[in-house]
């Protein structure tokens, strides 16, 4: 029903859209970041944040503050907001909201599995997991020895189960395997999410396919860069790219054969939207690429709020908040470690 | 300079004269001075550091310390609510508590409390663990016991089979199985523990999957909730025993148990040992219980001492925090010897403030006194009305529309009488008025009690407006007596009715009507009108005319106030080209109508006023005929019509052109004046003047603005007068509703001559009267009175573009934080 969402959207989605737009208004602004960047101690940061939406979550923290506490509390706020929205949501918005968390679920699975491989304490690992990606039997992941067991024991009960169809092997887990598993899962997840959004149709499909395509392309570039110089074959690399996005299919062919960063650059500069990202970087540099991508993503996410009557705002809001928490973490770390000169390196202003 | 005692009664009309003051406070007495000013509550500080972020300001560390203390206090409060204590409202007041001491004290208390909690938690943890252990041992021994019994029975059966050897149908395999030699039997291991019930299903499933079904799980539910040692929360739990074979499986099971947060407890098969364990555990549980109880008593004692001082401490912390916030608004001198404050204060408070500052200097042993220095400014000062508890609510009604501009005529003065009066015109019934008065006097009598306690949202609102409601009730009683309505029942209160029947039998009273037999009823409406056929036409005509009279009077008052405003601000233009034509326009049309109404009432003429008014416009030269009320009326009407017609362009054109002329003159004058002012020494102030008058003068904008104003006034004169007819409409609705309830409910029920029906009727009548007439009608009449004030009255003169005087005061501190 393209173009007619306005007639029916508000019946179920109106309240939540209002809520999410209200939450968005609480995002920190450039002025806030400027003030935060001038902070001398974590207490200053707390003091500044107490005037923002984070206030109630930080006010009862005893004074010698740690970066982890700040991040934890800020994440807690996001999780509370998410849970509230999920409680109020009806189909298909609730499914959409659940889709947003699958990425975290994959990360958590990978985190636990890697941690167990290196014989870390499970409780310690659980604390590091992102609360949005938690599921009931997550701790049991530690029991599994190989991919097949992982699937059979735990993941078959989770929404991730269908994504596993491509990576069930009986090989023992090792770092390489896990990384491939993560990317395979992510690929399957993105494709599934993409299909789901297409099924929803209308403005949601339009906006989400843009955002997801960007996400897929970014992952493709990252996979390529990270796999340069490893024993991953070209075909295997090719298999990890999601089957949609601006780069699909010809860009993928080119990326698959890249041997160094400049070749990646050459491949990417053929696509106008990515040209601007790469033009900011000097040749041979990949350090700042992450930030450049984040900045581009934030710009696109903010644009999602310009249109009404679609679900993209929920996705955009969650992503923007996560970016904000990353920023806060970076600022807090810099302040805590007295590295104030580096504060601006990785902070992405949202407004 | 005026003292407070000399202030005259009309002070409410103009807001207090304010002055911008600069204080130069030595650093050592700054804290003390601010604190005393906060006690006084008559000084509004300006933020001189608005460009600095909060943590860059001078006293950021102190604010952080206060925040930290506030956090500790919140922690205490939380602990107190957990322990079921509430802070004592009247706590021991001892003034000699200082911030530094308090900080240390709070820190100590917090540490003590945290340690105590940790100890208690530890004890509680082991206590809960022991309880779980006991449960596991008990339940598991039950499993084993029943399993052994079961096995014994089986054994006996097998033995019975064996004894009946030779029976052909005994299976061969079974026999073989039974006689396998013990050395070959696999020794089964087991893990026992306890798990939350909702997790138990998933637990079983995972166990099954992980071991490919090679385990035997036995579970049994524990009655009642069990406290989890780790989280300290109560949960429904299951005791389980898992049987397995092999070391690898054991490892897996242990891992799964950990993953599910299932607590494992070791267990022996030996019966004797089991009893021993249970006895031991029970003993330790008893011991722990007494220890925990002692700990709790100790903790409650500590919390009680905290509760004693809690209110005082939290008040002190709030006060200190606000002082430092204020100090942060001051700019610090380069030499760091003194702080410079700027802010507004009422002129009458100058002496008080100086006294207070002197006290502060003495009390803080400062060498240098604070300098109090009045600044000249073009900035518009804040608006401050000195209200008391009676006038406060009325001023709030006006403020809700907009805060008065500095020293603008304040409609609040008139609102005190006109608001309740207009309300009462719509709510005229002295029975209902008495009900309202009783309700509001309850609030007024219990005023002291209510003002100190927390009220609900709606109660708070009613309590805040208690004096407004009182005035409304008193006026309702007055208008009710005028309308002669008491729950729609007429009374002959002041004299017998003026009307009587034509003859003693009163046969034709309803057909031919009554005749006047006595002098006119002295006060209000004659009771005989009630219930007659001509009641409605009579009352409607009276109330309608009355509404118009009231409306025209109030609108005139509004326009006259605009004259006072113009005069006060020295704006000749507004007097001649706004006030005057407006007065003429309104009064030549509706003032004339009011005059006709009064003349008609006085002379008892039968003229049709609609006709007069309509034909005054349509054909002013026509003969009035029977509608003539006085001689020369036609001539007067033509005169008035012309005056009204002239006043419209008068309102529209001169003002913008004159403004333009003034502006041009000022500009031309300025080019000459520049030289002169250079000669004068007042160049500093002149600069200020210059910058403010250099605004862009756009003639078209001003003209359009004036056009809008004119149209608004001309149309508004008609529509606002019509708007006042709501007084009549609502009063009609009110009296009709109350008569419906009285006739159709109470009298109907009375007619049945049945006590039950009467009681039911009475209940319905009371509910309807209270619900509809007293609550809903009050609300609607209130809203309509509000509208008449905001739109019809204040629209004529009130700008309401000021901002409120918000002094730094400790008194308002408590309310803000709630």
């Amino acid at each position: 029903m393209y173009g007619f969402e306005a007639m029916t959207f508000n019946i179920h989605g109106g309240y939540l859209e209002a809520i999410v737009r209200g939450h968005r208004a609480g995002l920190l602004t450039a002025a806030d970041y400027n003030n935060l960047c001038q902070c001398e101690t974590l207490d200053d940061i707390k003091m500044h944040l107490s005037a923002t939406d984070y206030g109630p979550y930080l006010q009862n923290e005893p004074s010698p503050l740690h970066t982890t506490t700040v991040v934890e509390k800020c994440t807690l706020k996001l999780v509370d907001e998410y849970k509230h929205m999920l409680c109020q949501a009806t189909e298909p918005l609730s499914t959409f909201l659940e889709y947003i968390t699958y990425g975290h679920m994959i990360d958590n699975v990978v985190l636990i599995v890697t941690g167990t491989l290196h014989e870390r304490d499970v409780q310690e690992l659980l604390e590091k997991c992102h609360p949005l990606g938690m599921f009931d039997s997550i701790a049991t992941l530690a029991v599994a020895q190989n991919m097949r067991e992982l699937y059979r024991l735990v993941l078959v009960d989770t929404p991730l189960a269908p994504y596993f169809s491509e990576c069930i092997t009986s090989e023992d887990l090792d770092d390489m395997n896990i990384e491939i598993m993560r990317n395979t899962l992510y690929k399957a997840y993105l494709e599934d999410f993409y299909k789901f959004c297409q099924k929803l149709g209308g403005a949601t499909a339009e906006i989400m396919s843009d955002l997801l395509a960007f996400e897929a392309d970014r992952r493709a570039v990252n996979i390529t860069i990270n796999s340069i110089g490893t024993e991953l074959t070209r075909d295997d690399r090719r298999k990890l790219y999601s089957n949609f996005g601006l780069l699909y299919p010809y860009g993928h062919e080119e990326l698959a054969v890249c041997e160094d960063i400049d070749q990646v650059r050459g491949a990417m500069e053929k696509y106008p939207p990515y040209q601007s990202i790469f033009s900011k970087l000097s040749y041979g540099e990949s350090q700042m690429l992450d930030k450049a991508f984040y900045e581009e993503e934030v710009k696109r996410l903010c644009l999602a709020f310009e249109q009404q009557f679609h679900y993209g705002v929920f996705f955009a809001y969650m992503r923007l908040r996560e970016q904000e928490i990353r920023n806060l973490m970076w600022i807090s770390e810099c302040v805590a470690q007295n590295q104030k000169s580096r504060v601006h390196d990785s902070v992405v202003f949202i407004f | 300079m005026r003292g407070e005692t000399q202030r005259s009664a009309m002070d409410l009309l103009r807001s207090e004269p304010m002055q911008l003051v600069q204080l130069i406070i030595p650093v050592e007495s700054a804290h003390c001075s601010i604190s005393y000013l906060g006690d006084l509550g008559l000084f509004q500080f300006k933020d001189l550091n608005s460009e600095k972020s909060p943590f860059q300001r001078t006293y950021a560390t102190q604010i952080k310390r206060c925040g930290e203390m506030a956090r500790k206090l919140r922690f205490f409060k939380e602990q107190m609510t957990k322990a079921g204590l509430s802070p004592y409202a009247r706590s021991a007041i001892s003034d000699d508590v200082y911030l530094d001491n308090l900080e240390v004290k709070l820190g100590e208390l917090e540490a003590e409390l945290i340690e105590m909690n940790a100890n208690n938690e530890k004890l509680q943890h082991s206590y809960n663990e022991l309880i779980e252990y006991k449960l596991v041992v008990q339940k598991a021994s039950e499993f084993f016991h029943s399993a052994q019994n079961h096995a014994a029975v089986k054994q006996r059966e097998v033995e019975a089979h064996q004894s009946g050897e030779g029976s052909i149908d005994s299976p061969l395999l079974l026999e073989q199985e039974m006689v396998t030699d013990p050395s070959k039997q696999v020794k089964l291991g087991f893990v026992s523990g306890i798990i939350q019930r909702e997790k138990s299903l998933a637990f079983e499933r995972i166990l099954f999957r992980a071991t490919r079904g090679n385990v035997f799980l036995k579970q049994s539910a524990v009655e009642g909730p069990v406290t989890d040692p780790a989280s300290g929360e109560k949960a429904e739990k299951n005791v389980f025993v898992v049987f397995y074979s092999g070391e690898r499986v054991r490892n897996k099971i242990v891992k799964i148990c950990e993953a599910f947060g299932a607590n494992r407890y070791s267990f022996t098969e030996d019966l004797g040992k089991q009893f021993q364990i249970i006895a031991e555990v029970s003993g330790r549980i008893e011991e722990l219980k007494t220890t925990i109880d002692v700990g709790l008593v100790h903790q409650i004692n500590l919390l009680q001492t905290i509760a004693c001082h809690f209110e005082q401490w939290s008040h002190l912390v709030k006060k200190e925090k606000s002082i430092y916030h204020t100090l942060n608004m001051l700019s610090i001198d380069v030499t760091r010897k003194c702080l410079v404050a700027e802010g507004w204060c009422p002129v009458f408070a100058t002496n008080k403030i100086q006294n207070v500052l002197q006290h502060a200097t003495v009390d803080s042993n400062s060498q240098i006194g604070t300098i109090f220095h009045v600044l000249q400014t073009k900035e518009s000062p804040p608006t401050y009305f000195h209200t008391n508890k009676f006038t406060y609510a009325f001023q709030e009604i006006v403020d809700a529309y907009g805060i008065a501009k500095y020293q603008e005529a304040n409609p609040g003065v008139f609102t005190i009488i006109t608001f309740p009066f207009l309300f009462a015109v719509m709510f005229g019934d002295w029975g209902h008025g008495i009900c309202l008065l009783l309700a509001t006097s309850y609030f007024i009598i219990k005023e002291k009690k209510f003002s100190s306690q927390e009220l609900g949202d709606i109660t708070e609102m009613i309590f805040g407006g208690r004096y407004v409601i009182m005035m409304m009730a008193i006026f309702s009683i007055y208008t009710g007596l005028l309308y002669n309505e008491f729950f729609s029942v007429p009374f002959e209160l002041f004299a017998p009715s003026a009307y009587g029947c034509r003859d003693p039998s009163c046969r034709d009273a309803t057909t031919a009507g009554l005749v006047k037999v006595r002098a006119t009823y002295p006060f209000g409406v004659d009771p005989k009108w009630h219930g007659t056929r001509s009641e409605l036409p009579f009352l409607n005509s009276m109330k309608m005319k009355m509404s118009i009279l009231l409306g025209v009077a109030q609108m005139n008052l509004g326009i006259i106030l605009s004259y006072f405003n113009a005069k006060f601000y020295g704006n000749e233009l507004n007097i001649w080209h706004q006030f005057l034509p407006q007065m003429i326009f309104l009064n030549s049309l509706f003032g004339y109508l009011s005059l006709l109404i009064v003349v008609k009432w006085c002379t008892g003429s039968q003229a049709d006023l609609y006709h007069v008014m309509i034909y005054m416009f349509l054909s002013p030269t026509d003969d009035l005929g029977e509608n003539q009320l006085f001689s020369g009326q036609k001539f007067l009407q033509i005169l008035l019509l012309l005056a009204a017609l002239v006043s419209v362009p008068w309102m529209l054109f001169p003002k913008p052109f004159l403004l333009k002329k003034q502006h041009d003159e000022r500009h031309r004058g300025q080019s000459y004046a520049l030289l002169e002012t250079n000669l004068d020494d007042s160049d500093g102030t002149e600069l200020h003047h210059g910058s403010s008058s250099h605004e862009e003068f756009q003639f078209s904008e001003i003209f359009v603005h004036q056009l809008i104003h004119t149209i608004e006034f001309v149309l508004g004169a008609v529509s606002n007068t019509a708007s006042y007819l709501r007084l009549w409409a609502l009063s009609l609705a009110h009296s009709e509703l109350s008569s419906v309830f009285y006739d159709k409910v109470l009298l109907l029920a009375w007619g049945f001559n049945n006590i039950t029906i009467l009681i039911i009727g009475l209940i319905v009548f009371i509910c309807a009267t209270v619900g509809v007439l007293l609550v809903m009608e009050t609300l609607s009449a209130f809203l309509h009175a509000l509208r008449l004030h905001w739109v019809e009255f204040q629209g004529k003169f009130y700008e309401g573009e000021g901002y409120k005087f918000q002094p730094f005061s400790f008194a308002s501190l408590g309310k803000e934080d709630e």
Side-chain angles (χ1 to χ4, degrees), chain B residues 295-362:
Chain B
L296 280 180
V297 168
H298 196 61
Q299 188 190 13
I300 286 195
N301 279 340
L302 182 69
L303 283 175
Q304 255 160 355
T305 42
I306 293 173
C308 273
H309 298 281
F310 184 79
E311 281 292 306
Q312 188 198 354
W313 288 344
S314 73
H315 186 70
L316 184 76
V317 168
K318 271 184 210 159
K319 204 164 144 177
E320 289 294 326
K321 199 173 176 185
S322 68
I323 289 176
Y324 285 117
H325 264 301
T326 313
L327 280 172
N328 266 341
M329 293 205 269
L330 314 189
S331 71
I332 196 150
D333 197 62
V334 198
T335 56
R336 303 210 153 250
K337 289 267 170 54
C338 54
L339 293 164
V340 180
E342 272 180 31
W344 299 100
C345 70
V347 173
F348 74 82
T350 314
N351 273 339
K352 280 187 189 172
I353 289 172
Q354 275 169 337
N355 279 341
V356 155
L357 290 175
Q358 226 150 27
H359 269 296
T361 315
V362 174

Side-chain angles (χ1 to χ4, degrees), chain A residues 29-30 33-34 37 295 298 327 344 347-351:
Chain A
T29 59
Y33 282 121
N34 281 335
C37 290
E295 273 172 359
V298 162
N327 288 342
H344 286 278
V347 173
V348 180
F349 288 2
I350 294 179
F351 299 116

Side-chain angles (χ1 to χ4, degrees), chain A residues 34-41 43-48 58-64 116 121-123 126 136-143 145 149 151-157, chain B residues 51-56 59-61 63-64 67-68 70-72 74-75 78 110 199 202 205-212 248 251-253 255-261 325 328:
Chain A
N34 281 335
N35 279 333
L36 282 171
C37 290
Q38 290 166 3
C39 288
E40 296 289 341
T41 63
D43 279 341
D44 289 343
I45 290 183
K46 176 185 163 189
M47 193 165 153
H48 188 88
L58 283 170
Q59 68 171 3
N60 281 343
E61 286 310 305
S63 208
T116 336
D121 183 36
V122 181
Q123 284 306 322
L126 281 179
D136 274 347
S137 43
I138 188 164
T140 331
L141 287 170
V143 184
Q145 296 294 322
E149 272 190 358
Y151 175 71
R152 215 169 47 79
L153 275 183
V154 192
L155 296 175
V156 72
D157 288 336
Chain B
E51 78 285 356
K52 280 190 189 167
S53 57
F55 50 85
Q56 286 172 327
Y59 291 93
T61 42
I63 287 180
K64 258 184 255 170
E68 187 63 20
R71 184 193 63 73
K72 280 173 189 157
R74 277 197 299 273
F75 172 68
E78 190 188 312
E110 193 197 18
K199 283 189 189 167
R205 199 161 54 221
I206 296 281
L207 272 180
F208 186 85
R209 281 189 205 142
T211 59
R212 296 163 194 265
R248 279 187 60 181
N251 281 343
K252 270 189 186 169
I253 291 173
K255 267 189 181 170
I256 292 174
C257 285
E258 268 171 25
F260 273 87
H325 264 301
N328 266 341

Side-chain angles (χ1 to χ4, degrees), chain B residues 174-189:
Chain B
L174 180 74
E175 207 171 306
Q176 229 167 4
E177 201 180 315
M178 284 303 146
V179 292
T180 43
D181 87 301
S183 65
K184 276 191 185 167
Q185 264 178 349
V186 186
K187 178 74 183 156
L188 285 179

